[in-house]
Amino acid sequence: MSLNAESTAFRSALEVIRAVEPRVADAIGAELADQRESLKLIASENYASPATLLAMGNWFSDKYAEGTVGRRFYAGCQNVDTVEALAAEHARELFGAAHAYVQPHSGIDANLVAFWAILADRVESLALKKAQVRQVNDLTEADWFALRRELGNQRMLGMSLDAGGHLTHGFRPNISGKMFDQRSYGTDPATGLIDYDKVAEAAREFKPLILVAGYSAYPRKVNFRIMREIADSVGATFMVDMAHFAGLVAGKVFTGDFDPVPHAHIVTTTTHKSLRGPRGGMVLCGPELADQVDRGCPMVLGGPLPHVMAAKAVALAEARRPDFAGYAQRIVDNAQALAEGLTRRSAKLVTGGTDNHLVLIDVTGYGLTGRQAEQALLDSGIVTNRNAVPQDPNGAWYTSGIRIGTPALTSRGLGTAEMDQTAELIHTVLSQTTSGESKAKYVLDPALADKVSKQASELLAGFPLYPAVDLG
Ligand code: DSN
């Protein structure tokens, strides 16, 4: 029987790699086997399509292409121009954005590009007002620093890390918290929800240059219309980092007030989470910030990765297909089924549930730290990650939470019935694990961990991962 195209492609690729360094070929094969075997609930991971994966493994990797489409610092970029323009076009169409910049290598890179663009735009506006120069690049170094001092306000207000924000939204130890004078907003201690009046109050007091919305561990929707009104009321630039929920925006699950694109001045994202593309980042904005954003490389970023931009174009084309909306809705249906299943079994959830792709379990309800729970689940074939909960008593390393998300299992085809079974497996492990002599140590009967691992494998057996890929 002849092999299908995917199996032939991956088998041939591994054969070529094996001839040079067999251990790499073995590791690639082992990674597929591990991913097939584990119940992957990491909220920020997914499974890109074979077409997306294959678009990355080619000679586009050999090309330098600093600059932008049609304006490169290197010759011979006509084919890179083709894929970069395609990726940007798909992104604009998918999200209804005026401008898309598809070069960032990651979410952090995308955020750095946005910070640069906002700051440069403000300085340039000030320079223009004084009729000093036409664009920021024409400023002398002395004028640039003088104008930055005159601008004064380099303050960022973002969601705090323990409330579910991201490191790059002004967390003090991160570069965002060092480049900017930062303050953060949290969530209401009683409900776990964003209190927009409190955000408005903080904005009035702090008068940030940038108001950031977006999260990596907040299990609810954010009203971006209200956030924009808050930003406007203090003259702040409104930035949304939609890395976690970009797939829900693309799939039109988050619309109206919950779609950041019509409300934010600038939107950043990764491409590999709920959006299900290759590892990478992207920036969307209106015409006002487009020129500064396009200076991302080489201003902030190293040379673009044309092979990844090719894969972004493929994945974004996939996300524009009608079936992606169904996928996005199933992600949320599954997360809600998982939340309900856990709640029914007495798990304590931050905010009591979810309306996006993730659920945050407060594992102090099981007498555990996040680290103990994460390892106990891993022993049982369930891959999650520990995460701080609001006002976390165990800090950002040990934490008190477990973050679980459904984009990956939904890609595999699991539905709400399987989410209930997943909730049962998680609850079984957590309720049978006891705290050890330190915040990292725990006691779990290995026989129980084995039993749950087998049950997880049985659950997954009906939903083969990459069914078209047979490595032999
Ligand atoms: N590391 C990503 C996550 O897991 O949410 C965010 O950067």
Side-chain angles (χ1 to χ4, degrees):
M1 201 179 73
S2 66
L3 278 181
N4 61 32
E6 286 93 341
S7 301
T8 306
F10 286 105
R11 278 192 192 191
S12 304
L14 288 178
E15 198 180 308
V16 174
I17 296 166
R18 182 163 285 110
V20 180
E21 174 47 289
R23 289 170 295 183
V24 170
D26 289 347
I28 294 172
E31 181 59 28
L32 177 60
D34 286 354
Q35 295 212 17
R36 280 179 163 160
E37 278 298 298
S38 58
L39 201 60
K40 175 150 99 168
L41 284 161
I42 293 186
S44 47
E45 292 187 5
N46 210 327
Y47 303 110
S49 70
T52 298
L53 297 177
L54 288 167
M56 279 184 282
N58 57 69
W59 27 92
F60 265 133
S61 169
D62 300 334
K63 194 74 197 94
Y64 250 118
E66 287 178 18
T68 47
V69 175
R71 291 195 62 207
R72 305 284 183 186
F73 291 89
Y74 293 81
C77 291
Q78 59 280 5
N79 301 310
V80 178
D81 280 359
T82 300
V83 293
E84 180 168 353
L86 272 172
E89 180 191 322
H90 284 312
R92 287 194 306 273
E93 293 293 325
L94 180 63
F95 292 108
H99 186 69
Y101 181 64
V102 297
Q103 292 188 11
H105 311 153
S106 69
I108 289 188
D109 287 0
N111 286 351
L112 286 173
V113 170
F115 300 155
W116 152 257
I118 294 166
L119 191 61
D121 179 64
R122 294 290 185 128
V123 170
E124 197 169 83
S125 304
L126 204 58
L128 283 176
K129 220 185 278 172
K130 295 161 156 273
Q132 241 174 333
V133 286
R134 278 186 305 108
Q135 55 159 336
V136 77
N137 271 7
D138 298 338
L139 285 169
T140 63
E141 209 169 303
D143 283 344
W144 164 258
F145 285 109
L147 284 166
R148 271 195 67 179
R149 272 193 295 278
E150 191 173 327
L151 179 65
N153 178 359
Q154 279 144 48
R155 293 188 285 270
M156 174 185 292
L157 177 63
M159 192 174 197
S160 68
L161 192 66
D162 72 344
H166 190 254
L167 293 174
T168 52
H169 300 174
F171 185 50
R172 178 57 77 205
N174 181 263
I175 184 145
S176 57
K178 299 196 192 299
M179 280 170 69
F180 292 90
D181 184 6
Q182 65 82 38
R183 194 178 287 184
S184 51
Y185 57 89
T187 46
D188 183 284
T191 61
L193 301 174
I194 293 174
D195 178 339
Y196 295 98
D197 291 337
K198 286 264 166 55
V199 180
E201 196 181 304
R204 271 195 305 276
E205 275 174 29
F206 190 53
K207 299 213 173 5
L209 178 76
I210 308 178
L211 174 65
V212 187
Y215 51 79
S216 57
Y218 180 68
R220 295 292 174 179
K221 293 197 272 200
V222 175
N223 188 315
F224 299 114
R225 179 185 53 77
I226 298 178
M227 293 297 275
R228 172 62 185 259
E229 283 167 11
I230 295 170
D232 283 348
S233 73
V234 295
T237 299
F238 181 38
M239 168 177 161
V240 176
D241 177 345
M242 66 169 181
H244 262 263
F245 52 92
L248 307 184
V249 178
K252 310 284 179 263
V253 177
F254 286 2
T255 56
D257 292 354
F258 306 104
D259 175 354
V261 180
H263 300 292
H265 294 99
I266 189 161
V267 176
T268 60
T269 185
T270 52
T271 45
H272 50 271
K273 298 188 174 85
S274 53
L275 194 52
R276 203 163 59 183
R279 303 198 71 76
M282 196 161 72
V283 181
L284 306 173
C285 63
E288 310 75 28
L289 288 171
D291 285 350
Q292 301 300 355
V293 164
D294 280 351
R295 294 201 174 100
C297 169
M299 185 63 73
V300 178
L301 304 172
L305 309 174
H307 54 307
V308 180
M309 292 196 289
K312 285 173 183 170
V314 172
L316 289 164
E318 290 172 343
R320 287 183 69 192
R321 290 181 180 163
D323 60 346
F324 195 84
Y327 165 64
Q329 185 57 54
R330 287 194 297 279
I331 291 177
V332 178
D333 294 345
N334 277 345
Q336 289 177 337
L338 195 50
E340 276 159 30
L342 286 162
T343 304
R344 212 172 336 108
R345 293 170 175 88
S346 77
K348 192 168 139 196
L349 306 186
V350 173
T351 79
T354 181
D355 25 60
N356 57 26
H357 64 298
L358 71 88
V359 175
L360 192 57
I361 310 174
D362 180 342
V363 292
T364 58
Y366 290 104
L368 300 171
T369 64
R371 192 174 153 117
Q372 292 164 335
E374 177 191 82
Q375 287 304 309
L377 288 168
L378 188 64
D379 291 349
S380 315
I382 302 173
V383 187
T384 64
N385 68 288
R386 66 186 185 280
N387 206 101
V389 300
Q391 294 97 41
D392 200 308
N394 287 317
W397 179 249
Y398 292 107
T399 81
S400 302
I402 284 291
R403 185 186 69 165
I404 51 182
T406 52
L409 289 185
T410 307
S411 288
R412 241 179 127 141
L414 281 79
T416 51
E418 290 78 31
M419 290 304 114
D420 195 58
Q421 288 172 263
T422 303
E424 172 65 20
L425 298 182
I426 293 171
H427 173 72
T428 301
V429 174
L430 297 182
S431 57
Q432 299 298 315
T433 304
T434 48
S435 184
E437 70 259 23
S438 77
K439 287 183 180 185
K441 300 239 165 78
Y442 58 96
V443 181
L444 170 64
D445 178 0
L448 181 91
D450 259 11
K451 186 173 157 205
V452 172
S453 278
K454 287 202 183 78
Q455 288 170 325
S457 294
E458 281 161 23
L459 181 61
L460 291 173
F463 304 91
L465 178 60
Y466 295 116
V469 179
D470 173 5
L471 294 186

